Amino acid sequence: MKLPFLKSLLLLGGLLLCEGGEAKAQISIPCGDTLHMMSYNIRNGIGMDDVNDLQRTAAVILRHRPDIVAVQEVDSVTLRSDKRYVLGELAQMTHMHPVYAPAIAFSGGKYGIGMLSREKPLGYKYYPLPGREEQRTLLVVEFEQYVYCCTHLSLTPEDQLLSLPVINEVAAAIEKPLFIAGDMNAHPNSPFIDALKKSFRVLSAQDCTWPASSPDETLDYIAVRHSDSSQVDLLSTAVICEPKASDHRPVTVTVVLRPSR
């Protein structure tokens, strides 16, 4: 995660050009550890062409080399997925550590969210969140210098708002810099995102992420807790121009984590 000064310069230069010209970046390069985050609703490896191709999903991740990925819509040993541990296979393909959080029982197995990371996690927990169409979950994964959370919120605005007190309560018990990422199923001007912004600073680009082939809605986000903002310098943010591998486009954010004072 920590980059030498020259590599940081090269990284910043590349991100200024960005995938599809959609990145937004700051000019200065602060001192600290660089963290490249991604959030990706992978639709269990099913693309816009309805072909299930996990290699294609892995290729998207490998191409952009994130340190950590919040992953949504993942089967675990379901009949639909031929009893495969989908996140584990994706971890092998990308050479990352997997953490899985089931949301519901589905098709003889589980269906939920997960996380892939280059750094081995120190630990993780997951918490149920409301969802009247199906139960949702919050995955919280701890690393040496920060905590990264993943979620896939309900389609129902009322349940999204009911999720926020749970998220805030979990966050209140964590002392390290905390990020949350995922498919929020909410637009930037929605009541949920307005409420989220009272506790979190949205870092990700507001460009549209769904449907991937021709996106006209912003549903996917990466945010940092307001109380940790002083330790986080934003280098770049982008929506990846990937129109086929899933029905969502992945979002990325690159930050510098300043040493705590």
Side-chain angles (χ1 to χ4, degrees):
M1 185 174 68
K2 193 167 185 177
L3 298 177
F5 180 71
L6 179 58
K7 191 174 181 182
S8 294
L9 282 171
L10 293 172
L11 174 65
L12 181 60
L15 288 168
L16 282 166
L17 294 176
C18 183
E19 307 85 353
E22 293 168 337
K24 301 163 187 176
Q26 294 179 352
I27 301 301
S28 61
I29 305 176
C31 294
D33 289 339
T34 304
L35 178 62
H36 186 36
M37 300 174 284
M38 176 182 282
S39 182
Y40 198 7
N41 183 327
I42 66 167
R43 202 189 186 194
N44 204 46
I46 301 171
M48 291 297 292
D49 53 4
D50 289 327
V51 173
N52 193 323
D53 186 352
L54 206 58
Q55 288 279 2
R56 182 169 58 183
T57 307
V60 175
I61 296 171
L62 287 168
R63 192 178 309 131
H64 298 284
R65 301 174 57 86
D67 295 304
I68 189 161
V69 190
V71 184
Q72 302 89 50
E73 293 197 20
V74 195
D75 281 7
S76 177
V77 296
T78 64
L79 294 172
R80 176 175 71 171
S81 296
D82 299 321
K83 288 294 182 178
R84 295 153 52 208
Y85 177 34
V86 173
L87 190 68
E89 292 185 17
L90 195 57
Q92 290 182 340
M93 294 175 189
T94 57
H95 313 291
M96 301 176 88
H97 298 280
V99 177
Y100 187 72
I104 59 170
F106 176 74
S107 185
K110 302 290 185 181
Y111 173 78
I113 60 177
M115 200 167 292
L116 299 170
S117 62
R118 300 200 181 280
E119 179 183 351
K120 186 176 180 179
L122 299 178
Y124 71 95
K125 293 181 179 180
Y126 55 89
Y127 305 84
L129 294 177
R132 59 199 68 188
E133 71 284 345
E134 64 186 47
Q135 185 170 303
R136 306 294 174 148
T137 191
L138 172 70
L139 173 61
V140 180
V141 185
E142 181 183 4
F143 299 91
E144 184 177 349
Q145 294 180 290
Y146 67 99
V147 172
Y148 200 52
C149 304
C150 173
T151 194
H152 182 193
L153 293 183
S154 170
L155 295 167
T156 307
E158 292 83 359
D159 289 336
Q160 295 170 10
L161 289 170
L162 289 171
S163 298
L164 196 52
V166 180
I167 294 169
N168 286 335
E169 182 178 357
V170 170
I174 295 170
E175 296 182 356
K176 294 180 180 180
L178 182 142
F179 302 88
I180 187 167
D183 176 0
M184 306 295 186
N185 275 317
H187 297 151
N189 59 351
S190 66
F192 172 77
I193 296 300
D194 285 344
L196 180 74
K197 287 179 177 178
K198 294 178 181 178
S199 303
F200 288 85
R201 172 191 169 197
V202 175
L203 299 172
S204 51
Q206 300 299 288
D207 301 323
C208 297
T209 61
W210 184 91
S213 56
S214 183
D216 57 12
E217 297 185 47
T218 302
L219 302 178
D220 304 87
Y221 301 85
I222 300 175
V224 63
R225 185 171 51 182
H226 273 311
S227 58
D228 302 316
S229 286
S230 62
Q231 291 179 248
V232 174
D233 291 290
L234 181 63
L235 289 185
S236 71
T237 177
V239 174
I240 304 300
C241 184
E242 173 46 61
K244 194 173 181 180
S246 172
D247 63 338
H248 285 247
R249 294 190 177 193
V251 299
T252 62
V253 166
T254 303
V255 301
V256 169
L257 288 176
R258 292 182 181 271
S260 57
R261 297 174 182 174

